[in-house]
Amino acid sequence: LVIGSMIGAGIFNLVRNTAESAGPLATIIAWLVTGVGMVFLVLSFRNLAEKRPDLDAGIYSYAEAGFGKYVGFNSAWGYWISAWIGNIAYAVTAFSALGYFFPQLFADGQNWASVIGMSILLWGVHCLILRGVRTASVVNLLITIAKIVPLIIFLVAIIAAFKLDIFSKDLWGLAGSNLSLDVVLRQIKDMMIVTVWVFIGIEGAVVFSGRAKQRSDVVKATFIGFAAVLALYVLMTVLAFGVATQPELAGLKDPAMAL
């Protein structure tokens, strides 16, 4: 659940977004900083789960307990809106990928054929979920597998194609500029906008904590999911610099994983 929540449409363009923001070394630093920050967030979830086991309605229950019903309501409402907007983003990316193979039909994933296809897909998944929690769990598992399999294939491909001379050509992403602290910090800052964004969904296990057999399962699921996704993100974005130069990666079209 945690892995499926975190891996969204953005990961399929993560290589390009990374290259647009930073060079290889700045990317590694940004992932380290973000990783440490997310570990503290996971520890916060663990602390809340242990101290307030009665709050089992998700992260918005924490907002309600801390700041009142009005803030809790807005937190839940905002979370719901972000969820369905995320589905739209994922659908656009999916049909953009189909457009790579069927350009005359789906183009860039933003034509009427894509809209109709997206609607059928989203409503189909919605109808399956309405059949019950068990069906929803199966659907979530299948979707998660559908996300992870191409990512693993992509990772294996870039490992096989990795060349050290390409990776080390411009480690700081200077493109001819002089190395300075300001340049490096700007790259790290720009990259962290990307790295923090892709961890949205890390609260997935907390949202359904009320259905967990043990509260400790929520913490374990969050830690394991976070570690797995972090490793996948880091390997994909860093190793890609050994397959193509930073300008080439930054110039990739949607979906960037078509690299």
Side-chain angles (χ1 to χ4, degrees):
L1 182 62
V2 176
I3 293 175
S5 298
M6 277 192 283
I7 297 179
I11 192 172
F12 298 101
N13 287 316
L14 187 58
V15 170
R16 184 191 65 194
N17 295 336
T18 298
E20 290 174 341
S21 304
L25 294 184
T27 297
I28 294 173
I29 295 172
W31 280 122
L32 287 173
V33 175
T34 305
V36 171
M38 289 299 163
V39 166
F40 282 108
L41 179 59
V42 173
L43 291 175
S44 297
F45 286 148
R46 184 185 70 175
N47 186 48
L48 288 168
E50 293 176 349
K51 298 292 180 61
R52 293 297 303 271
D54 56 305
L55 301 177
D56 57 5
I59 55 174
Y60 26 85
S61 63
Y62 299 143
E64 180 180 354
F67 303 100
K69 291 185 178 296
Y70 178 74
V71 174
F73 171 80
N74 282 282
S75 175
W77 185 257
Y79 187 82
W80 178 76
I81 291 175
S82 70
W84 63 259
I85 289 178
N87 286 333
I88 294 173
Y90 188 80
V92 170
T93 301
F95 280 87
S96 175
L98 288 175
Y100 182 83
F101 300 100
F102 308 101
Q104 294 182 345
L105 180 59
F106 297 114
D108 58 353
Q110 300 183 46
N111 58 3
W112 279 109
S114 299
V115 171
I116 294 172
M118 293 174 200
S119 299
I120 294 173
L121 177 63
L122 291 175
W123 280 109
V125 173
H126 179 69
C127 290
L128 288 173
I129 292 174
L130 288 179
R131 297 183 62 181
V133 175
R134 188 177 298 276
T135 303
S137 300
V138 174
V139 171
N140 180 72
L141 176 61
L142 293 176
I143 292 176
T144 301
I145 293 174
K147 293 177 184 178
I148 293 177
V149 169
L151 295 177
I152 293 177
I153 294 174
F154 177 78
L155 182 59
V156 171
I158 60 175
I159 290 175
F162 181 85
K163 294 181 180 179
L164 185 60
D165 57 333
I166 297 178
F167 180 81
S168 59
K169 186 176 182 179
D170 189 7
L171 290 174
W172 287 108
L174 300 177
S177 303
N178 294 325
L179 178 62
S180 67
L181 182 60
D182 289 340
V183 172
V184 174
L185 290 178
R186 184 174 67 250
Q187 288 189 43
I188 295 173
K189 180 190 68 174
D190 292 343
M191 182 58 195
M192 286 188 66
I193 295 175
V194 177
T195 58
V196 173
W197 172 257
V198 295
F199 282 112
I200 291 178
I202 194 173
E203 75 291 340
V206 178
V207 173
F208 293 96
S209 59
R211 301 182 183 276
K213 292 182 179 180
Q214 298 179 352
R215 300 295 294 182
S216 59
D217 292 341
V218 177
V219 179
K220 291 178 183 178
T222 304
F223 263 114
I224 294 173
F226 163 71
V229 173
L230 176 62
L232 185 61
Y233 285 163
V234 173
L235 289 173
M236 283 180 55
T237 53
V238 174
L239 293 179
F241 285 107
V243 178
T245 63
Q246 184 178 350
E248 290 172 339
L249 293 174
L252 292 173
K253 296 181 179 180
D254 293 338
M257 275 182 59
L259 166 68

